Amino acid sequence: MTPTRDKLLVIGGGVLAILCGFALANDAWLWPALAFSAGLVAVFLRFAPWPFLPAILLALVLGYFVGNRGFAQLSLSGTLPLFAAEAVLAQGGVVWVWQRAKAGGLDWELRGSHLAVLLWLAYGTARLFPEVRTYGILALRDYAMVYYGGFYFLAWSASRQVDFAPLLLRTIRIGSLILIPLFWLFSFFPEQFVEGLTFRGSPVFFYKADIAGTFLSLGAICWFLHARKLKYSWLGWLVSLGCVGTMLSTHNRASMLGLATGIALLALRGRTEIVKGAMVTAFAGAVALSLWVESGQRRWSQTPVPAILEAIVSIADFEGDRRYQAEVVENKGDNNRFRAVWWRSVIEETLRENPLLGVGYGYDLATPFLRVYYPDSNDDFTARSPHSIFITIFGRLGFLGLALFIAVAASLALKTWQLLGRDDYRETSLPGVCALMILASACFGVVLEGPMGAVVFWICFGSVPSEAARQSR
């Protein structure tokens, strides 16, 4: 640099520091945070050994695994909803555009999964403009399930810079390993987390059963298949078992469905070692529980097994007619009826109002359901989603949006199926499996409508095409 440029940078930095100091003195964090973030990005781009995009995406995935909903709700601003996902998407998007401009183009073809995701983003974004004028921030909030798809292209670009899939799987393994003890500590000492470990009044660690359970299911698959690479493979199997046990303790059925989806997908493509491992683990667990019951003259009803079995059986109880004995799952029938009534309500409302394009973002999908399910209730009802990504998409975006998202899911499933069927199968084919596990969980939950599950889903999906292309060379 020339001396004049050095002086200008020093003067500009000094002025910026003074302005940020005034802002912090007035408890305004937004602009200082943005300036600090931009400075970190500049330093990282200049000196870090890793490219910026892979590093920031992996850090985001690890944050969601370890902090879960708490990390997702941390905002850089006290007044604006500038959360981690939005900040990374904005900064990563700027860096991606800049890098692509320097390289002379986007370097990808408009076909396959790229085209499917781009059409999903284009239609979902176009649908926003007429609704945001009417519903404002509510429309933007509902639109989040669409714009998180931008992480697909960031992850794809990251995978062109480094061998991203192995790094992503390592992050999932590390995150799930840390999540096991933290989830148990949170279960036993919630007040210490909610009131003690906070930032700007929000807990840094806060765990929801559906998100934590789904992440633990991912960890169980990844650790089990990675165990054979370890010097002491039993350690990997032990961590995998810990993930499964902790997930089952949540009694969250969507997470169980996600795990079953991953096991079934691998088994159908000939990766039967995971089925054998599940059978051996189930047998060993049954023997251990039998010994525990007999040694203390206890009853099987006092073990976790009946509750887990009833939770599994309740998945197929679509109308919620069955009665359940275990205390922790006695409300599963009501939960199923809750979903069934809300799903029918959304489908009927959408077919009546606008079946092709949907009722749009911001529209209240809950009121027609409440008139049927809670006709006499005066309590506030804050949920906005019918707990199924496909039903939500149909309600918001109609048949057209649903068809576009089904195309996205089909392209993901096809890519993953092809990768798993290759003779030179390797563990790094797993990001597609992880994405499909999250999608399966989202069929009965809201994991794809918030950043925790959606960001991880799109990042996993974005790493799949590059892995397929790399293996085909």
Side-chain angles (χ1 to χ4, degrees):
M1 291 186 181
T2 64
T4 302
R5 179 185 256 180
D6 289 342
K7 292 178 181 178
L8 290 175
L9 286 175
V10 170
I11 293 172
V15 172
L16 182 61
I18 293 172
L19 293 176
C20 289
F22 276 117
L24 290 173
N26 290 283
D27 200 26
W29 286 67
L30 177 60
W31 293 110
L34 291 177
F36 180 70
S37 300
L40 284 181
V41 171
V43 171
F44 195 99
L45 292 173
R46 179 65 179 86
F47 298 107
W50 274 21
F52 174 72
L53 276 180
I56 198 170
L57 292 179
L58 294 175
L60 191 61
V61 170
L62 185 62
Y64 287 133
F65 266 77
V66 174
N68 216 253
R69 187 174 182 177
F71 175 79
Q73 291 184 331
L74 297 180
S75 177
L76 296 176
S77 169
T79 57
L80 296 176
L82 189 58
F83 305 112
E86 285 71 20
V88 171
L89 189 60
Q91 291 185 341
V94 171
V95 172
W96 178 62
V97 170
W98 177 66
Q99 290 175 339
R100 290 298 90 209
K102 285 182 61 178
L106 294 178
D107 193 28
W108 48 265
E109 299 178 1
L110 284 178
R111 64 179 183 181
S113 56
H114 285 338
L115 180 59
V117 176
L118 190 63
L119 288 175
W120 162 250
L121 287 171
Y123 170 68
T125 302
R127 192 72 176 82
L128 171 68
F129 295 110
E131 308 298 340
V132 75
R133 291 194 296 268
T134 303
Y135 298 105
I137 193 67
L138 288 178
L140 291 173
R141 178 181 173 183
D142 294 336
Y143 170 60
M145 69 175 181
V146 174
Y147 71 67
Y148 289 138
F151 282 100
Y152 167 90
F153 292 104
L154 295 186
W156 178 87
S157 181
S159 65
R160 305 287 288 186
Q161 301 174 30
V162 297
D163 198 3
F164 187 66
L167 296 174
L168 177 60
L169 292 173
R170 184 184 305 171
T171 303
I172 290 174
R173 292 195 300 270
I174 293 172
S176 58
L177 177 61
I178 299 173
L179 178 57
I180 295 173
L182 283 178
F183 183 83
W184 285 110
L185 287 172
F186 182 83
S187 300
F188 289 114
F189 310 104
E191 292 183 1
Q192 280 72 12
F193 283 85
V194 174
E195 299 177 4
L197 299 172
T198 62
F199 174 77
R200 298 177 65 85
S202 297
V204 178
F205 303 94
F206 192 92
Y207 299 103
K208 289 189 62 186
D210 54 348
I211 298 296
T214 299
F215 285 168
L216 289 164
S217 297
L218 268 59
I221 294 285
C222 293
W223 272 109
F224 183 88
L225 294 179
H226 182 71
R228 63 180 181 270
K229 294 185 177 182
L230 301 175
K231 182 178 180 180
Y232 301 103
S233 58
W234 61 271
L235 286 174
W237 295 329
L238 186 62
V239 176
S240 178
L241 183 60
C243 288
V244 174
T246 306
M247 181 273 291
L248 291 177
S249 74
T250 68
H251 299 101
N252 182 260
R253 298 168 296 170
S255 305
M256 298 177 188
L257 181 62
L259 179 61
T261 298
I263 293 175
L265 185 59
L266 290 164
L268 289 172
R269 295 304 276 167
R271 314 302 163 192
T272 55
E273 66 269 24
I274 195 166
V275 179
K276 296 175 183 177
M279 294 175 65
V280 170
T281 300
F283 177 76
V287 171
L289 281 174
S290 297
L291 293 174
W292 181 74
V293 169
E294 294 298 328
S295 65
Q297 297 182 344
R298 302 176 181 89
R299 297 179 180 180
W300 274 98
S301 59
Q302 296 175 309
T303 72
V305 174
I308 293 173
L309 291 177
E310 285 193 323
I312 294 173
V313 169
S314 71
I315 295 175
D317 182 17
F318 301 113
E319 296 297 329
D321 298 325
R322 183 184 175 95
R323 289 185 175 273
Y324 303 96
Q325 301 301 317
E327 182 179 353
V328 292
V329 296
E330 63 182 358
N331 66 336
K332 296 300 183 184
D334 291 336
N335 195 278
N336 286 4
R337 286 192 295 274
F338 174 90
R339 282 177 168 81
V341 173
W342 200 349
W343 291 358
R344 281 196 295 267
S345 171
V346 170
I347 292 171
E348 292 170 357
E349 181 84 359
T350 306
L351 290 175
R352 182 170 59 252
E353 296 293 332
N354 193 344
L356 179 61
L357 301 180
V359 296
Y361 307 116
Y363 188 92
D364 184 5
L365 294 176
T367 296
F369 156 72
L370 292 175
R371 285 197 289 263
V372 176
Y373 200 79
Y374 295 117
D376 301 321
S377 176
N378 295 321
D379 296 336
D380 291 334
F381 187 80
T382 58
R384 297 184 51 78
S385 165
H387 291 71
S388 172
I389 186 61
F390 290 99
I391 300 296
T392 299
I393 289 173
F394 175 67
R396 299 288 180 204
L397 302 175
F399 280 117
L400 182 54
L402 183 61
L404 291 174
F405 188 77
I406 290 175
V408 169
S411 67
L412 166 63
L414 180 61
K415 285 283 188 181
T416 305
W417 187 259
Q418 291 172 342
L419 277 172
L420 291 175
R422 293 181 63 89
D423 294 335
D424 59 343
Y425 164 80
R426 297 185 301 113
E427 186 186 345
T428 49
S429 304
L430 282 178
V433 177
C434 291
L436 288 171
M437 291 171 66
I438 297 173
L439 181 60
S441 179
C443 292
F444 298 92
V446 294
V447 297
L448 278 184
E449 296 161 55
M452 294 86 74
V455 171
V456 177
F457 167 82
W458 288 108
I459 289 176
C460 287
F461 185 12
S463 71
V464 176
S466 62
E467 180 66 15
R470 198 177 70 81
Q471 290 192 16
S472 64
R473 292 190 185 113

XYZ file of all heavy atoms in Angstrom, residues 127 345-360 363 365 368 371 394-395:
184
model
N -43.522 -14.700 -4.601
C -44.781 -14.775 -3.858
C -44.785 -13.846 -2.646
O -45.853 -13.494 -2.117
C -44.990 -16.224 -3.405
C -46.367 -16.545 -2.862
C -47.390 -16.583 -3.985
N -48.688 -16.976 -3.474
C -49.556 -16.173 -2.877
N -49.266 -14.901 -2.702
N -50.732 -16.618 -2.477
N -57.777 -28.823 8.134
C -58.214 -27.426 8.104
C -57.416 -26.618 7.086
O -57.992 -25.839 6.302
C -58.061 -26.817 9.502
O -58.264 -25.422 9.483
N -56.095 -26.793 7.063
C -55.259 -26.049 6.126
C -55.557 -26.456 4.688
O -55.668 -25.600 3.786
C -53.762 -26.283 6.453
C -52.874 -25.714 5.351
C -53.404 -25.648 7.784
N -55.699 -27.747 4.458
C -55.986 -28.223 3.093
C -57.320 -27.675 2.608
O -57.429 -27.170 1.472
C -55.972 -29.763 3.062
C -54.551 -30.284 3.297
C -56.497 -30.276 1.722
C -54.469 -31.781 3.487
N -58.346 -27.758 3.442
C -59.667 -27.262 3.037
C -59.652 -25.755 2.817
O -60.239 -25.254 1.842
C -60.698 -27.636 4.103
C -60.962 -29.133 4.196
C -61.805 -29.499 5.405
O -62.135 -28.567 6.190
O -62.126 -30.684 5.573
N -58.984 -25.009 3.701
C -58.905 -23.550 3.565
C -58.182 -23.157 2.279
O -58.612 -22.248 1.556
C -58.176 -22.973 4.779
C -58.042 -21.454 4.788
C -59.261 -20.767 5.345
O -60.233 -21.477 5.705
O -59.252 -19.528 5.439
N -57.098 -23.853 1.969
C -56.318 -23.529 0.766
C -57.088 -23.883 -0.497
O -57.081 -23.116 -1.476
C -54.972 -24.272 0.798
O -54.300 -23.981 2.028
C -54.091 -23.849 -0.374
N -57.742 -25.037 -0.495
C -58.537 -25.423 -1.667
C -59.674 -24.438 -1.910
O -60.046 -24.178 -3.061
C -59.096 -26.831 -1.468
C -58.079 -27.983 -1.515
C -58.755 -29.306 -1.175
C -57.422 -28.062 -2.899
N -60.185 -23.879 -0.858
C -61.293 -22.921 -0.986
C -60.801 -21.546 -1.422
O -61.422 -20.881 -2.254
C -62.039 -22.819 0.346
C -63.230 -21.880 0.319
C -64.070 -21.997 1.574
N -63.307 -21.695 2.782
C -62.932 -22.609 3.676
N -63.243 -23.880 3.489
N -62.251 -22.249 4.747
N -59.658 -21.093 -0.898
C -59.194 -19.729 -1.151
C -58.364 -19.597 -2.434
O -58.632 -18.754 -3.272
C -58.371 -19.237 0.046
C -59.155 -19.109 1.338
C -60.194 -18.008 1.271
O -59.988 -17.035 0.506
O -61.216 -18.102 1.986
N -57.312 -20.423 -2.546
C -56.414 -20.290 -3.705
C -55.572 -21.557 -3.832
O -54.420 -21.590 -3.412
C -55.504 -19.073 -3.543
C -54.780 -18.710 -4.836
O -54.707 -19.495 -5.774
N -54.237 -17.507 -4.879
N -56.104 -22.618 -4.434
C -55.381 -23.891 -4.467
C -54.095 -23.856 -5.282
O -53.148 -24.576 -4.964
C -56.394 -24.865 -5.079
C -57.377 -24.000 -5.802
C -57.442 -22.722 -5.044
N -54.029 -23.025 -6.298
C -52.838 -23.014 -7.155
C -51.669 -22.292 -6.502
O -50.546 -22.810 -6.476
C -53.161 -22.349 -8.493
C -51.977 -22.263 -9.481
C -51.475 -23.658 -9.824
C -52.365 -21.482 -10.738
N -51.914 -21.106 -5.948
C -50.834 -20.286 -5.401
C -50.795 -20.251 -3.881
O -49.846 -19.711 -3.299
C -50.962 -18.843 -5.937
C -50.922 -18.690 -7.450
C -51.064 -17.223 -7.836
C -49.638 -19.266 -8.035
N -51.808 -20.787 -3.210
C -51.819 -20.793 -1.758
C -52.334 -19.486 -1.174
O -52.577 -18.501 -1.899
N -52.470 -19.451 0.143
C -53.015 -18.271 0.808
C -51.937 -17.246 1.120
O -52.239 -16.126 1.539
C -53.746 -18.663 2.107
C -54.952 -19.545 1.793
C -52.806 -19.381 3.070
N -50.657 -17.608 0.957
C -49.578 -16.643 1.074
C -48.956 -16.580 2.450
O -49.430 -17.171 3.426
N -50.601 -15.095 6.262
C -51.993 -15.502 6.439
C -52.110 -16.393 7.683
O -51.264 -17.226 7.948
C -52.467 -16.261 5.200
C -53.945 -16.572 5.161
C -54.840 -15.697 4.556
C -54.440 -17.744 5.719
C -56.196 -15.994 4.503
C -55.788 -18.047 5.689
C -56.664 -17.166 5.074
O -58.014 -17.460 5.025
N -53.073 -19.367 9.447
C -53.497 -20.739 9.201
C -54.105 -21.393 10.438
O -54.633 -22.505 10.358
C -52.299 -21.592 8.738
C -51.680 -21.230 7.386
C -50.449 -22.098 7.127
C -52.688 -21.411 6.257
N -58.934 -21.013 11.541
C -59.942 -22.023 11.165
C -59.786 -23.317 11.957
O -60.786 -23.956 12.315
C -59.667 -22.247 9.673
C -58.982 -21.004 9.217
C -58.149 -20.567 10.376
N -61.164 -22.890 15.595
C -62.627 -22.906 15.686
C -63.160 -24.329 15.813
O -64.241 -24.552 16.369
C -63.241 -22.217 14.466
C -63.131 -20.704 14.496
C -64.094 -20.072 13.512
N -63.669 -20.312 12.134
C -62.965 -19.447 11.407
N -62.614 -18.277 11.927
N -62.624 -19.725 10.169
N -48.026 -26.263 1.084
C -49.267 -26.233 0.309
C -50.147 -25.070 0.744
O -50.721 -24.364 -0.089
C -50.016 -27.555 0.461
C -51.355 -27.560 -0.213
C -51.448 -27.485 -1.596
C -52.528 -27.612 0.529
C -52.684 -27.468 -2.236
C -53.762 -27.605 -0.093
C -53.838 -27.526 -1.478
N -50.248 -24.863 2.066
C -51.073 -23.757 2.539
C -50.535 -22.408 2.109
O -51.292 -21.553 1.649
